[in-house]
Amino acid sequence: MLSYRASLDVPRALAQAVAALLFAHRARIGTRRVLGCFAQAVLLLRFVRQRATVADLARDNTISLSSAYRYLHEALDVLADQAPELSDVVADAVHRGTEHPLLDGTLIATDRVHDRTGQRDRWYSGKHGHHGGLVQVLTDPDGRPLWVSPVEPGCTHDLTAARIHALPALYPAARDGVPTLADKAYTGAGAGIRVPVRRPRGSQVLDAGTRGWNTYVNAERALVEHGIAHLKTRWRALDHVSLCPWRITVIVATALVLSRLENLY
């Protein structure tokens, strides 16, 4: 058998911070594990950063496949619990006088799932042409992710998902002078959610002022797309999820928490 050494391109301090959270969790519930906290932290980081398979994680830690799944899901839950609530993010944006947060949706690809309502394949996104889970992402004006929503099946429209998870907290912020910028998919979201103006049908054209507004919004919105792309590139588990698609909620929240922790080191 050929053996080799491998490295993980994350700061050691990040693994230690994750291990500290796992240690606090174990102390809180009063349990002990065969695998140490640091080893479990590395297991989690390999999954989220490198998209390592659970079978590889089990083999490399000399544990059973079922144990590897338990360690992974426990770590995902512990990290996801550290993700900020939208109400807190919005309150902080208002306190800081943020000009405008940015809202957009992203599809996290998944394996095909047998989950139908009538004849509808709920996890299939016709817009993207493959299966996945839809997540709403709120960033600051520079595109740094601040909050991620629970997942919705891929057939869900961005506006529908936003109405469930984001808009109830964003409306009060708009009343306090902090509107949200979004793309045309959020047209009709309501007051305080500012989107580009759709081009009229037929031969009518937008006036110069409206075209200038659209140019401004689209330029600002490009930053949220960059922020989402960076989140997905940095944490490759978001490339494609083979676990239960509902677990996208904790996977993307974990990625957000890891990004916030990594920025500290």
Side-chain angles (χ1 to χ4, degrees):
M1 178 180 294
L2 177 66
S3 62
Y4 65 96
R5 294 177 65 103
S7 61
L8 187 61
D9 59 338
V10 299
R12 184 178 182 84
L14 177 61
Q16 292 171 333
V18 174
L21 291 172
L22 293 171
F23 179 83
H25 168 72
R26 294 186 188 186
R28 185 166 57 252
I29 65 175
T31 188
R32 302 182 67 178
R33 300 280 192 268
V34 173
L35 204 63
C37 292
F38 188 81
Q40 187 179 7
V42 173
L43 180 150
L44 171 71
L45 289 168
R46 287 186 59 196
F47 173 80
V48 183
R49 172 67 185 116
Q50 298 178 329
R51 198 169 163 252
T53 68
V54 180
D56 286 343
L57 297 175
R59 179 202 62 214
D60 296 343
N61 287 281
T62 321
I63 56 178
S64 68
L65 187 62
S66 60
S67 294
Y69 272 109
R70 285 196 298 272
Y71 280 118
L72 175 61
H73 285 295
E74 178 184 49
L76 287 170
D77 289 335
V78 169
L79 267 290
D81 281 344
Q82 303 299 313
E85 297 290 338
L86 180 56
S87 57
D88 295 332
V89 169
V90 169
D92 185 64
V94 172
H95 176 72
R96 292 173 179 269
T98 301
E99 184 177 357
H100 52 248
L102 306 169
L103 178 68
D104 201 2
T106 187
L107 192 79
I108 309 297
T110 67
D111 293 340
R112 184 170 183 173
V113 180
H114 297 289
D115 182 3
R116 290 179 175 272
T117 301
Q119 296 300 313
R120 191 178 193 185
D121 190 345
R122 299 175 64 214
W123 292 94
Y124 182 79
S125 169
K127 175 182 176 181
H128 296 88
H130 58 80
H131 290 78
L134 180 67
V135 174
Q136 300 294 296
V137 180
L138 191 76
T139 75
D140 67 12
D142 294 323
R144 287 185 289 266
L146 300 173
W147 169 83
V148 292
S149 76
V151 69
E152 292 293 332
C155 71
T156 309
H157 191 278
D158 274 322
L159 182 54
T160 300
R163 283 174 172 155
I164 297 171
H165 300 295
L167 298 185
L170 296 178
Y171 289 145
R175 289 196 295 268
D176 290 333
V178 182
T180 300
L181 297 189
D183 66 17
K184 293 178 182 178
Y186 298 87
T187 299
I193 312 302
R194 299 180 177 176
V195 301
V197 177
R198 293 185 183 275
R199 186 171 61 184
R201 294 181 179 179
S203 59
Q204 295 181 354
V205 296
L206 297 173
D207 61 76
T210 303
R211 292 198 302 273
W213 164 254
N214 285 358
T215 299
Y216 167 75
V217 175
N218 290 330
E220 292 294 302
R221 274 203 60 266
L223 296 170
V224 67
E225 296 177 353
H226 294 164
I228 292 173
H230 176 75
L231 195 67
K232 287 184 168 182
T233 301
R234 182 58 181 157
W235 309 110
R236 290 186 54 209
L238 302 180
D239 286 347
H240 188 102
V241 172
S242 296
L243 302 177
C244 170
W246 290 111
R247 295 297 285 170
I248 291 174
T249 294
V250 296
I251 294 172
V252 72
T254 295
L256 175 66
V257 171
L258 290 174
S259 290
R260 292 164 66 94
L261 288 173
E262 192 172 39
N263 288 336
L264 300 177
Y265 307 112

